[in-house]
Amino acid sequence: MPAKLSVNLNAIAMLRNRRDLPWPSVIALGRIALEAGASGLTVHPRPDQRHVRFSDLAPIRSLIDSEFSSTEFNIEGFPEESFMRLVEEHRPEQVTLVPDDPAQATSDHGWDFRKSHNLLGNIVGRLKKLGLRVSVFADGEPDREALTIARELGADRIELYTGPYGGCYDDPAKAVHMVELLGETADIAFELGLGVNAGHDLTVANLPALVARIPRLAEVSIGHGLTADALEYGMAETVRRFCRACGQDI
């Protein structure tokens, strides 16, 4: 099965937040994305609400439940207590745990599973009791011991941090090397029984090589590059372009 596309709404929310006005509408553009073929919507509600606001979560949950019940809501973030309360209230189909410091501009590394074993063990167990799928952010370098810990913690999936791969857009040789590292990491995850997602700085240009190397890739979560393309092509056509880059016949 081709990788599914989850549209990250944070960049849209950030643009909206530049003014005290309701546009661009996070909900309206989320609806367009789902109508065009996206399989889900992703948000990363940071504590300062500089992107998606906490008040956005209920309308997104309602949009999916009332109009697109076959799609999924993915909430990602650092598992502090305020984040956990949001997850418990809005019950996304998937929770993606990321090791972000609140001051970070964006996610830029995966978990150190050795150091975070106790924290993640408690959090993953709590989320699994709610019946939620749990994905944990992981660096792209192959590390069997680290991924074994992720599996032992009870995670269902890892999300490969693809920032370094996206960053070599102007270096084809390095891109080939980076996609192979990501592929080797995915191979280990699959051997351990983990599903594999991917996200960060993915584009229509670099997705095909990634999905060719990881044909069992479950989902990609894309925000910045997709939103940038939407300014040029419109949201609906941009979603279709990204779905086709994932290998979907759309």
Side-chain angles (χ1 to χ4, degrees):
M1 292 289 290
K4 295 181 178 181
L5 171 67
S6 184
V7 173
N8 189 313
L9 299 171
N10 272 40
I12 295 166
M14 181 178 66
L15 180 59
R16 176 202 60 190
N17 293 352
R18 294 184 69 247
R19 296 287 187 271
D20 188 21
L21 297 167
W23 59 81
S25 169
V26 169
I27 302 305
L29 286 165
R31 178 182 288 110
I32 292 170
L34 294 173
E35 287 174 342
S39 296
L41 300 175
T42 291
V43 296
H44 187 148
R46 289 183 166 85
D48 61 6
Q49 302 188 71
R50 66 183 183 272
H51 299 145
V52 164
R53 297 169 179 159
F54 301 159
S55 59
D56 291 321
L57 302 189
I60 295 170
R61 177 75 274 174
S62 178
L63 172 69
I64 290 174
D65 289 344
S66 62
E67 299 181 39
F68 302 95
S69 59
S70 64
T71 66
E72 293 191 349
F73 192 14
N74 174 45
I75 299 181
E76 61 181 30
F78 182 82
E80 60 186 352
E81 189 57 33
S82 61
F83 174 82
M84 294 298 289
R85 287 196 296 269
L86 291 174
V87 166
E88 290 168 349
E89 179 179 358
H90 300 291
R91 299 296 177 97
E93 283 69 30
Q94 178 172 266
V95 179
T96 301
L97 303 176
V98 297
D100 278 7
D101 183 283
Q104 283 181 222
T106 187
S107 305
D108 62 7
H109 62 284
W111 286 99
D112 182 331
F113 292 110
R114 298 169 182 86
K115 291 183 178 179
S116 302
H117 183 280
N118 290 339
L119 167 67
L120 288 174
N122 292 331
I123 293 297
V124 172
R126 184 171 165 185
L127 294 171
K128 297 293 287 182
K129 287 181 180 178
L130 296 175
L132 308 181
R133 184 195 310 130
V134 180
S135 179
V136 289
F137 219 45
D139 289 319
E141 294 80 7
D143 185 337
R144 181 176 293 274
E145 181 184 2
L147 295 182
T148 299
I149 294 170
R151 186 69 185 101
E152 291 172 347
L153 292 172
D156 300 291
R157 297 182 184 179
I158 61 166
E159 179 172 324
L160 292 169
Y161 170 55
T162 54
Y165 174 51
C168 54
Y169 60 90
D170 56 352
D171 189 339
K174 186 177 180 182
V176 170
H177 174 66
M178 294 304 303
V179 82
E180 180 57 28
L181 290 179
L182 291 164
E184 292 175 10
T185 303
D187 290 342
I188 295 170
F190 291 136
E191 290 174 14
L192 294 170
L194 289 161
V196 178
N197 297 339
H200 215 85
D201 294 335
L202 294 173
T203 66
V204 167
N206 65 26
L207 265 170
L210 183 68
V211 299
R213 178 58 183 83
I214 312 175
R216 292 167 59 193
L217 188 65
E219 175 185 287
V220 292
S221 173
I222 306 176
H224 182 81
L226 189 148
T227 304
D229 277 12
L231 294 174
E232 183 173 357
Y233 299 100
M235 177 59 80
E237 179 57 23
T238 293
V239 166
R240 289 189 286 266
R241 293 175 77 244
F242 272 85
C243 286
R244 288 192 290 267
C246 287
Q248 298 179 30
D249 184 14
I250 190 171

